[in-house]
Amino acid sequence: MLSQQQYLKTDDIPAILIVDDLEAHLELMEAIFEKEGCRVIPAHNATEALQITQHSSPDLAILDVMMPGINGYELCRMLKEKSRTRFFPVILVTSLIELEDKIAGLEAGADDFISKPFKTIELMTRVRSLLKLKRIQEELDHSENVILTLAVALESKDPYTKGHSERVGNISAEFAAFIGLMEKEQNLIKKAGILHDIGKIGIGDDILYKKGPLSKDELQLIEQHAVIGERICKPLHSLSSILPAIRSHHERWDGEGFPDGLKGDRIPLMARMLSIVDSFDAMVSERPYRSPVSIKDVINKMESESSSGQWDPLLIERFIEMMREKHTF
């Protein structure tokens, strides 16, 4: 068996956590995976496995279902909860073949099942497939993080907009939770908020940071940032579901917005939400031509203009309700 110091991953050698209460099974698995060039991290029970994951990050876990104390289903659920945002594949090894057993595994978050007795080639094929999927997911996450970082860096050049997109993302996620959207939608709209102005990277600084009034041509160019932002994010499949929000966050409920003149419910929900939050943060933030306005005054102003045709009337009502509850005024 490997020593505790050897549990940490090195280079591109995949680290496999194997949890089984039978020593003979652990030794068999270790022999199989080390022959295939993998690093084995053995654990005899769930408690030991959880302790190991405190100081190491395995690429994949193989769990025996029938273990004393915390069984494989419960351990799978714990490991998935611990990994949260990163993809951590888990295979359950079981002699149970009933449909209910597989359903229990799926509900615990398992990515695959292997029935005992298993064939080595079948096990390795499934492990390789999940490791490949994990690498693809990590590559997508890296590319996505590059774009998110780029969006933040873009704003840092101007002290008046620094932090704007992050605030829009955070408040939008809070708004999504307030109106009852699921955690997945909350995370998506947070990304959309951070990236909603990424298209401004395609607009010259002489226009973006111009102190005086913009000409008609300059305004039309500024309006293209929504389309440019969509184009920048489009190659990443992981961002495909937020593209409509990035493109349409300047559309208006009355159809007088840009870039497509969408009206009413034709505007995507996330875009309608971003429009409200974007306006709110712009008004409470300092600008070179005015001082920041208090949150209370901004909410009062948004309430008085709620029927102006700029925002979804139902959503603006809920947003005002949220802000009044949050700030108790």
Side-chain angles (χ1 to χ4, degrees):
M1 297 291 181
L2 298 176
S3 66
Q4 184 166 312
Q5 287 74 21
Q6 291 173 293
Y7 287 168
L8 299 178
K9 287 195 302 180
T10 58
D11 301 323
D12 295 324
I13 300 174
I16 312 294
L17 172 65
I18 301 174
V19 189
D20 198 309
D21 59 311
L22 297 179
E23 185 68 32
H25 291 175
L26 285 176
E27 291 178 353
L28 173 62
M29 288 284 198
E30 183 175 18
I32 290 172
F33 284 104
E34 289 190 346
K35 183 179 179 181
E36 295 294 329
C38 298
R39 188 179 303 277
V40 175
I41 307 175
H44 297 84
N45 52 57
T47 301
E48 188 177 330
L50 292 170
Q51 289 174 345
I52 287 170
T53 57
Q54 293 296 320
H55 57 76
S56 67
S57 300
D59 293 293
L60 180 144
I62 299 176
L63 316 178
D64 185 50
V65 169
M66 303 303 292
M67 293 188 293
I70 299 174
N71 64 31
Y73 296 136
E74 296 172 60
L75 178 57
C76 177
R77 188 175 290 107
M78 291 176 179
L79 291 174
K80 287 290 187 176
E81 177 62 26
K82 181 179 172 63
S83 65
R84 293 188 69 81
T85 57
R86 75 182 183 95
F87 176 54
F88 179 57
V90 175
I91 297 176
L92 293 180
V93 180
T94 178
S95 57
L96 303 174
I97 58 173
E98 297 298 326
L99 178 61
E100 299 82 51
D101 301 314
K102 289 199 171 185
I103 291 174
L106 290 172
E107 289 177 343
D111 299 282
D112 208 342
F113 300 86
I114 290 287
S115 298
K116 296 179 181 178
F118 60 81
K119 295 181 180 179
T120 301
I121 190 170
E122 178 188 9
L123 175 62
M124 289 309 306
T125 299
R126 296 189 182 191
V127 166
R128 288 194 195 99
S129 177
L130 284 171
L131 288 174
K132 182 179 180 180
L133 182 60
K134 184 176 188 293
R135 283 194 298 272
I136 292 171
Q137 185 66 49
E138 288 173 345
E139 288 171 2
L140 289 173
D141 288 343
H142 175 70
S143 299
E144 185 177 298
N145 286 335
V146 168
I147 291 183
L148 289 168
T149 302
L150 186 63
V152 174
L154 173 67
E155 288 184 346
S156 67
K157 297 193 299 181
D158 182 359
Y160 294 105
T161 60
K162 186 176 182 179
H164 167 69
S165 289
E166 287 186 280
R167 292 192 299 271
V168 170
N170 290 331
I171 298 171
S172 294
E174 184 182 352
F175 187 23
F178 184 79
I179 64 174
L181 297 186
M182 302 293 286
E183 185 176 1
K184 179 181 178 181
E185 281 72 31
Q186 295 170 34
N187 292 332
L188 286 174
I189 199 168
K190 182 175 182 177
K191 288 180 184 178
I194 295 173
L195 294 171
H196 76 285
D197 277 342
I198 186 68
K200 287 183 178 178
I201 200 170
I203 311 296
D205 289 356
D206 56 326
I207 298 176
L208 278 180
Y209 307 125
K210 185 176 179 179
K211 300 298 183 183
L214 296 173
S215 67
K216 182 179 179 181
D217 288 343
E218 288 171 335
L219 281 172
Q220 289 179 340
L221 189 57
I222 285 284
E223 290 178 359
Q224 285 300 302
H225 80 272
V227 177
I228 296 170
E230 179 191 39
R231 194 179 304 137
I232 290 172
C233 298
K234 195 170 186 177
L236 274 185
H237 178 72
S238 61
L239 298 179
S240 60
S241 56
I242 67 172
L243 294 180
I246 294 172
R247 182 183 181 93
S248 302
H249 70 277
H250 279 295
E251 300 289 356
R252 289 174 52 104
W253 185 254
D254 58 11
E256 297 299 315
F258 62 86
D260 304 305
L262 300 180
K263 184 176 182 179
D265 290 335
R266 292 185 61 197
I267 306 169
L269 174 61
M270 279 198 290
R272 283 179 266 152
M273 296 170 68
L274 282 181
S275 173
I276 293 171
V277 179
D278 190 24
S279 298
F280 166 79
D281 190 75
M283 286 189 276
V284 299
S285 301
E286 184 178 1
R287 289 294 184 264
Y289 47 84
R290 63 162 173 79
S291 299
V293 182
S294 72
I295 292 176
K296 182 177 181 180
D297 287 345
V298 167
I299 291 302
N300 288 337
K301 178 178 174 62
M302 294 181 87
E303 186 172 39
S304 68
E305 297 177 0
S306 60
S307 59
S308 66
Q310 182 173 355
W311 306 296
D312 179 326
L314 293 179
L315 283 178
I316 188 64
E317 182 180 329
R318 296 304 309 278
F319 181 76
I320 291 169
E321 179 185 350
M322 180 185 81
M323 297 306 290
R324 289 195 187 283
E325 286 184 12
K326 181 179 179 180
H327 298 282
T328 61
F329 55 74

